[in-house]
Amino acid sequence: QVQLQESGPGLVKPSQTLSLTCTVSGGSITTSGYYWSWIRQLPGKGLEWIGYIYYSGTTHYNPSLRSRVTISVERSKNQFSLKLSSVTAADTAVYYCARDDYGSGRGLDFWGQGTLVTVSS
Amino acid sequence: DIQMTQSPSSLSASVGDRVTITCRASQGIRDDLGWYQQKPGKAPKRLIYAASSLQSGVPSRFSGGGSGTEFTLTISSLQPDDFATYYCLQHNIYPRTFGQGTKVEIK
């Protein structure tokens, strides 16, 4: 079964760039039909979809974050990454990576456990 | 963006109760909807996909219904393990959007 695991700094200073990596195990990131996604959950609040990447490098971002987000893929390591620039306290959240099974139209199936990123000086 | 409106935002219920949560989409999304359960400190866990298909390993007391713009998640007999927050998610178009959540608490 596919497993995803987020990693990266838990504390980022305001105006800096948040960087997280998601490592996929139990399956290949290059399998067709899957988008590799990032989602975040603000403290005590709901869920916000950030964007996805396909193994070919095709990306799609939430318009609300598009100007600050970059998602990239490292096929050789079976990983994909998130960069969010110019962060503020409003970006403090639990960040999740997940697989989007768009090929069968079944949406987000497997999720990582999540990692809390706090933006603070 | 498609707006997903979930109701109620919270409810109190007893073990054994039948519980229904509703999710409305701002435009038609066919049956491209999933339901997720989230417990404190944990990632969301998918219960239902394609509006009414039960995820493997999920108890049969969970069921989903609807299509187009109105969807329901029903728990036929609430169990102690079911006290959690539930979210709907549309996967018809991008950006994916979630309902705001329904917290199910013990009465």
Side-chain angles (χ1 to χ4, degrees):
Chain A
Q1 147 160 323
V2 172
Q3 293 185 310
L4 298 94
Q5 177 69 57
E6 306 87 351
S7 59
L11 181 64
V12 181
K13 289 183 167 52
S15 78
Q16 294 191 342
T17 296
L18 177 160
S19 296
L20 296 173
T21 295
C22 182
T23 300
V24 179
S25 57
S28 174
I29 205 168
T30 61
T31 301
S32 63
Y34 300 112
Y35 290 151
W36 302 95
S37 306
W38 287 97
I39 300 101
R40 70 180 183 177
Q41 186 165 32
L42 304 179
K45 304 217 170 178
L47 296 148
E48 179 179 36
W49 180 84
I50 298 171
Y52 74 69
I53 191 164
Y54 192 50
Y55 75 89
S56 64
T58 299
T59 56
H60 191 112
Y61 302 137
N62 193 321
S64 67
L65 295 168
R66 181 177 291 142
S67 63
R68 298 194 291 132
V69 171
T70 303
I71 300 176
S72 58
V73 64
E74 181 60 68
R75 290 184 291 274
S76 64
K77 295 182 179 179
N78 227 32
Q79 293 176 335
F80 62 106
S81 298
L82 169 71
K83 290 189 187 299
L84 181 65
S85 63
S86 305
V87 297
T88 69
D91 294 309
T92 293
V94 175
Y95 287 77
Y96 296 99
C97 57
R99 189 180 81 168
D100 186 332
D101 184 6
Y102 86 94
S104 61
R106 296 184 179 182
L108 299 170
D109 51 7
F110 293 100
W111 294 58
Q113 65 185 26
T115 187
L116 173 63
V117 178
T118 301
V119 178
S120 175
S121 55
Chain B
D1 299 5
I2 295 178
Q3 307 303 316
M4 304 301 295
T5 304
Q6 221 175 301
S7 60
S9 56
S10 65
L11 64 89
S12 295
S14 300
V15 172
D17 284 354
R18 181 182 181 89
V19 168
T20 297
I21 299 167
T22 297
C23 196
R24 288 188 175 85
S26 59
Q27 64 189 68
I29 58 169
R30 304 181 306 184
D31 64 351
D32 296 334
L33 184 114
W35 288 99
Y36 295 78
Q37 176 193 67
Q38 187 178 35
K39 295 184 178 179
K42 299 293 187 181
K45 169 190 170 186
R46 191 168 69 175
L47 304 173
I48 301 286
Y49 64 90
S52 60
S53 295
L54 192 67
Q55 180 74 30
S56 175
V58 172
S60 58
R61 63 181 179 273
F62 291 94
S63 64
S67 68
T69 60
E70 186 152 338
F71 303 85
T72 57
L73 172 70
T74 298
I75 309 172
S76 61
S77 177
L78 200 64
Q79 299 301 302
D81 191 48
D82 302 338
F83 292 96
T85 300
Y86 294 84
Y87 294 94
C88 61
L89 164 67
Q90 67 81 16
H91 53 84
N92 181 255
I93 65 169
Y94 294 96
R96 305 297 200 215
T97 45
F98 295 84
Q100 71 270 38
T102 295
K103 187 172 184 179
V104 176
E105 298 176 302
I106 302 172
K107 182 184 281 185

